[in-house]
């Protein structure tokens, strides 16, 4: 009977695993078995997961599926105002008692006691709550309970908070924020997203009637639009019982308002905006190709998400190569397909240009988009991207028991708000092993024709308002787009090297001395060349090795005439490749490996910082050896670095915060020429 019972258990386990990893596009995605999900009778959803990092701490979040987009015209800015009022008194906590209590148990306002409001969601966060005493857990849940339905909204506190938010509005009106407020009218074309921008209308904030604020809270802070997320070092059954007891009494409104999804209207013409600001630091070009999001979140969706990741990796590798040119057309550039707002996704191509080179940068990104549209990607590019993605999934799988609680919360937030899949790391790893090899080049090369369309396209050029600085007109931008679309672009040329990093391994030295400090678990090896190696095994991560090397010296050893060159030499060498490999070839040679090594030169020291997986330690040490025996400093890498630095720095003084910092950094050391 025992043997039969064990056999039956094994059969059931195999059956469950087979069902769990039966990959079919139409199949639903399983839910991570480690998370407890439930829904109360009043509609409130909860997610609970035991996670022991950090020990004796837990995350408690209240998620409200409501934000600025649900405001009525007379409430513009009041979703954010509601969030502020949560800290100014509730049914069980008078005025500012919430913050005082949480600070009394060792939590900090800001890093561990916080909240945010966006267009589509409001979230309240109690992070790293100590759970060694049951009273702390009970009080944390009581605070979330009061935020969910029992905020006081005392008239005096509302009036006091008007000034706080007015100041937040005033100090938050940076150049980028002012520009975005104008360009959003095109990006979010004839939708509420263009008007209800979270911070809101300052006239409404200063003068709204108390009942208008309370109306927003009454309409949208209700159990069917709320979720409690609890992740930490606790007993899930105990937390579930407490949530049921604490939150079941929250009432559901008899006639709730519809939680609608705001749509962004489509447009056939390309919309163009050119905006400047006196305090803008950077000239930025942005091209958006907007698309409706996929609503079916099945296993086919997960496979498609892998294709999106591969696309983003490959196109950004190309942008990285362009940035390494001696005189690159942009200081920094990237392209990615991702979510724009709840109702719209977008392929976004963004580049930071040098002053006066907006047209050059825009033309460069349009040409790269056209290149991938006309010719697609190459087989070696896809192979490297697959290696990178598989290594990421493998690393995440190895570190699955070392994730901190706050990393897990956001997954459950996405599941609650948008039905994002939460199958767990094990399933994602098995999925990648099973499906990634079968994703073909032809599949990837179809994506550009689906995404790079003239419908729903928006082009934005922004930058500093400066005498003598001329920007293209809307007509010139449209003419440039038409010219690029009608030209034949050459295919991408893939520069690779099949040489080994080290053609010949060096002769081995010897360990001539060993010192052990058992108190802190450290070993020190003295090598025959005089170097000392300090080693400390840890269990913080399953598959990570951290590395640093340092010696005394630094740029302070050099005369003033060479001081700046000495300071930046590490940056230029670090971007120049190594040995027989140029920077682009080196990056490709390291694809599929988790390894990085960066040289540095500071005032008083020089050295290296790096990390790798356990399996890539040898590669890390080979890179280190090459930096000593075959560093490179080629003219193209130098020109690229200098030109990009000029682009970043040329208008930094127009930003008031930068101007203050620069003045302080000059004044405090007495105008030392070394500063």
């Amino acid at each position: 009977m025992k043997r039969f019972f064990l056999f039956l258990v094994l059969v059931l386990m195999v059956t469950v695993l087979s069902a769990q990893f039966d990959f079919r596009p139409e199949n639903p995605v399983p839910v991570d078995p480690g998370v407890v999900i439930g829904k109360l009778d009043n509609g409130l959803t909860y997610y609970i997961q035991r996670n022991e990092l950090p020990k004796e701490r837990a995350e408690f979040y209240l998620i409200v599926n409501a934000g600025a987009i649900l405001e009525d015209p007379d409430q513009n800015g009041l979703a954010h105002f509601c969030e502020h009022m949560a800290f100014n008194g509730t049914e069980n906590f008078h005025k500012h008692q919430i913050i005082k209590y949480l600070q009394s148990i060792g939590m900090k306002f800001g890093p561990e006691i916080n909240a945010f409001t966006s267009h589509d969601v409001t979230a309240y966060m109690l992070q790293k709550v100590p759970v060694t005493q049951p009273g702390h857990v009970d009080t944390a849940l009581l605070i979330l309970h009061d935020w969910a339905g029992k905020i006081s909204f005392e008239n005096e506190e509302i009036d006091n908070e008007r000034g706080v938010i007015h100041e937040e509005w005033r100090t938050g009106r940076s150049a980028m924020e002012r520009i975005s407020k104008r360009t959003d009218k095109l990006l979010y074309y004839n939708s509420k997203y263009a008007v209800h921008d979270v911070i809101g209308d300052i006239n409404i904030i200063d003068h709204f009637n108390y009942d208008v604020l309370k109306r927003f809270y009454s309409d949208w802070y209700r159990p069917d639009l709320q979720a409690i997320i609890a992740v930490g070092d606790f007993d899930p059954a105990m937390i579930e019982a407490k949530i049921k007891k604490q939150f079941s009494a929250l009432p559901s409104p008899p006639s709730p308002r519809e939680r609608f999804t705001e749509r962004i209207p489509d447009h056939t013409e390309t919309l163009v905006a050119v905006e400047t600001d006196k305090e803008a630091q950077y000239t930025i070009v942005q091209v958006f190709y907007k698309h409706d999001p996929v609503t079916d979140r099945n296993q086919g969706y997960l496979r498609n998400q892998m294709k999106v990741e591969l696309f983003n990796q490959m196109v950004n590798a190309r942008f990285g190569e362009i940035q390494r040119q001696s005189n690159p057309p942009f200081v920094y550039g990237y392209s990615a397909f991702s979510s724009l707002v709840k109702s719209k996704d977008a392929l976004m191509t963004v580049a930071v240009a040098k002053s006066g080179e907006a047209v050059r940068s825009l033309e460069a990104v349009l040409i790269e988009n056209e290149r991938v549209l006309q010719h697609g990607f190459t087989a070696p590019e896809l192979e490297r991207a697959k290696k990178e993605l598989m290594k990421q999934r493998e690393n995440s799988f190895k570190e699955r028991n070392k994730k901190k609680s706050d990393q897990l919360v956001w997954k459950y937030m996405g599941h609650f708000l948008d039905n994002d899949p939460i199958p767990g790391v094990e399933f994602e790893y098995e999925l990648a092993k099973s499906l990634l090899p079968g994703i073909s080049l032809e599949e990837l090369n179809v994506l550009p024709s689906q995404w790079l369309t003239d419908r729903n396209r928006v082009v934005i050029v922004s930058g500093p308002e400066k005498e003598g600085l001329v920007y293209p007109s809307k007509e010139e931008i449209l003419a440039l787009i038409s010219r690029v679309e009608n030209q034949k672009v050459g295919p991408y040329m893939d520069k690779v090297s099949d040489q080994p990093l080290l053609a010949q391994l060096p002769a081995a030295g010897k360990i001539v001395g060993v010192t052990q400090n058992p108190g802190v678990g450290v070993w020190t090896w003295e090598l025959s060349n005089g170097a000392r190696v300090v080693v400390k095994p840890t269990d913080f991560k399953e598959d990570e090795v951290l590395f640093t090397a340092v010696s005394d010296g630094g740029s302070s050893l050099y005369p003033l005439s060479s001081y700046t060159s000495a300071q930046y030499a590490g940056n230029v060498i670090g971007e120049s490749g190594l040995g027989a490999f140029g920077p682009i070839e080196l990056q490709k040679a390291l694809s599929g490996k988790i390894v990085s090594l960066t040289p540095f030169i500071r005032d008083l020291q020089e050295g290296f910082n790096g990390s790798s997986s356990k399996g890539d330690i040898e590669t890390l040490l080979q890179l280190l050896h090459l930096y000593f025996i075959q560093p490179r400093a080629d003219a193209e890498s130098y020109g690229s670095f200098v030109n990009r630095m000029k682009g970043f720095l040329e208008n930094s003084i127009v930003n008031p915060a930068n101007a203050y910092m620069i003045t302080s950094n000059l004044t405090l050391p007495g105008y030392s020429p070394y500063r």
Side-chain angles (χ1 to χ4, degrees), residues 78 162 204 207-214:
L78 299 196
R162 292 183 202 267
I204 289 178
H207 303 109
F208 69 84
N209 185 281
Y210 305 127
D211 289 337
V212 177
L213 177 65
K214 296 172 185 176

Side-chain angles (χ1 to χ4, degrees), residues 58-61 107 110-113 125-129 406:
E59 310 281 309
F60 295 98
Y61 281 47
M107 296 173 62
E112 296 162 353
I113 311 163
M125 302 166 282
L126 301 180
Q127 299 177 281
K128 298 182 179 66
V129 177
D406 59 354

Side-chain angles (χ1 to χ4, degrees), residues 274-403:
V274 180
E275 296 289 347
T276 61
D277 192 280
K278 290 180 180 179
E279 293 180 2
Q281 291 183 72
Y282 308 116
T283 300
I284 301 175
V285 300
Q286 303 173 80
V287 187
F288 296 86
Y289 306 85
K290 297 180 290 186
H291 301 276
D292 292 332
V294 175
T295 54
D296 290 333
R297 301 301 168 96
N298 50 25
Q299 291 186 17
Y301 171 80
L302 290 181
R303 187 179 187 277
N304 284 331
Q305 286 303 105
M306 282 195 279
K307 288 160 60 176
V308 171
E309 290 183 71
L310 292 169
F311 177 94
N312 291 344
Q313 281 191 30
M314 289 189 290
V315 76
N316 282 307
R318 292 188 180 186
F319 273 78
E321 290 184 26
I322 294 171
Q323 287 164 211
R324 294 181 182 276
Q325 296 173 4
S326 59
N327 184 23
F330 43 76
V331 174
Y332 173 73
Y334 73 91
S335 185
F337 189 93
S338 65
S339 173
L340 186 62
V341 293
K342 194 178 186 76
S343 61
K344 253 335 179 215
D345 291 343
L347 175 61
M348 298 171 274
T349 305
V350 182
V352 179
K354 289 188 287 187
S355 288
E357 295 193 1
V359 172
R360 184 180 176 223
S361 293
L362 179 58
E363 183 177 25
V365 300
L366 290 173
I367 286 174
E368 287 312 304
N369 284 346
E370 196 65 27
R371 193 186 316 281
V372 77
L373 181 61
Q374 292 182 20
H375 302 284
F377 298 102
T378 66
E381 284 182 290
L382 179 57
E383 192 58 33
R384 288 193 298 270
K386 285 183 177 181
K387 284 182 181 178
E388 290 287 334
L389 185 55
M390 193 64 238
K391 194 69 175 181
Q392 292 169 17
R393 293 288 196 273
E394 181 184 354
N395 183 254
S396 184
F397 174 74
K398 289 180 179 178
E399 302 293 350
R400 64 192 182 281
N401 297 320
K402 301 293 183 179
K403 287 190 178 296

Side-chain angles (χ1 to χ4, degrees), residues 13 23 37 51 55 86 127 134 212 264 272 282 317 349 363 388 423 440 472 495 498 508 560 610 612 657 675:
M13 288 177 64
F23 300 121
I37 304 176
N51 190 67
K55 285 192 172 297
Q127 299 177 281
V212 177
I264 298 177
V272 178
Y282 308 116
T349 305
E363 183 177 25
E388 290 287 334
S440 68
K495 295 164 58 178
D498 57 1
L560 189 60
S612 77
R675 288 293 175 267

Side-chain angles (χ1 to χ4, degrees), residues 10 13 40 188 246 257 312 364 484 501 561 606 629:
L10 286 171
M13 288 177 64
L40 304 180
Y188 299 129
Q246 189 74 265
R257 290 182 64 174
N312 291 344
V484 171
L501 277 179
S561 59
E606 63 272 328
I629 66 167

Side-chain angles (χ1 to χ4, degrees), residues 95-302:
K95 294 189 181 296
H96 305 290
Q97 283 183 339
I98 286 177
I99 295 174
K100 289 179 180 177
Y101 167 77
L102 293 171
Q103 288 177 332
S104 75
I105 62 173
M107 296 173 62
K108 299 185 181 78
F109 188 69
E112 296 162 353
I113 311 163
N114 215 326
F116 71 83
T117 305
S118 70
H119 281 113
D120 293 299
V121 62
T122 308
Y124 298 87
M125 302 166 282
L126 301 180
Q127 299 177 281
K128 298 182 179 66
V129 177
V131 293
T132 49
Q133 297 182 31
H136 295 340
V137 174
D138 292 338
T139 307
L141 291 174
L142 181 60
I143 291 169
L144 297 189
H145 163 273
D146 278 15
W147 284 341
K150 303 294 180 181
I151 298 177
S152 299
F153 292 107
E154 297 174 11
N155 293 348
E156 179 186 4
E157 291 297 322
I158 292 174
D159 289 335
N160 289 339
E161 203 63 27
R162 292 183 202 267
V164 173
I165 294 182
H166 191 114
E167 188 64 9
E168 187 175 318
W169 169 84
R170 186 188 68 81
T171 58
R173 294 179 74 238
S174 65
M176 290 302 298
E177 198 273 341
R178 290 190 292 267
I179 288 173
S180 293
K181 198 171 181 70
R182 298 193 294 269
T183 59
D184 282 355
K185 288 179 171 54
L186 282 189
L187 183 59
Y188 299 129
Y189 183 72
N190 287 348
S191 74
K192 279 183 73 174
Y193 285 107
V195 179
H196 290 255
D197 60 350
V198 181
I199 195 64
D201 185 333
I202 195 61
N203 293 316
I204 289 178
I205 291 167
D206 287 343
H207 303 109
F208 69 84
N209 185 281
Y210 305 127
D211 289 337
V212 177
L213 177 65
K214 296 172 185 176
R215 186 177 79 235
F216 182 89
Y217 185 73
S218 175
D219 284 342
W220 305 115
Y221 277 63
R222 59 186 204 237
D224 63 303
L225 296 179
Q226 294 174 334
I228 300 298
I229 301 176
V231 181
D233 189 10
F234 48 52
D235 175 12
M238 178 265 291
I239 297 295
E240 184 175 27
K242 289 179 181 292
I243 288 174
K244 288 179 177 179
K245 180 180 179 182
Q246 189 74 265
F247 292 88
S248 292
L250 287 173
S252 299
S255 302
R257 290 182 64 174
E258 178 192 0
R259 200 304 184 197
F260 61 89
T261 297
E262 176 71 8
R263 302 293 176 186
I264 298 177
D266 293 328
H267 50 91
T268 55
E269 73 277 23
T270 296
L271 305 178
V272 178
V274 180
E275 296 289 347
T276 61
D277 192 280
K278 290 180 180 179
E279 293 180 2
Q281 291 183 72
Y282 308 116
T283 300
I284 301 175
V285 300
Q286 303 173 80
V287 187
F288 296 86
Y289 306 85
K290 297 180 290 186
H291 301 276
D292 292 332
V294 175
T295 54
D296 290 333
R297 301 301 168 96
N298 50 25
Q299 291 186 17
Y301 171 80
L302 290 181

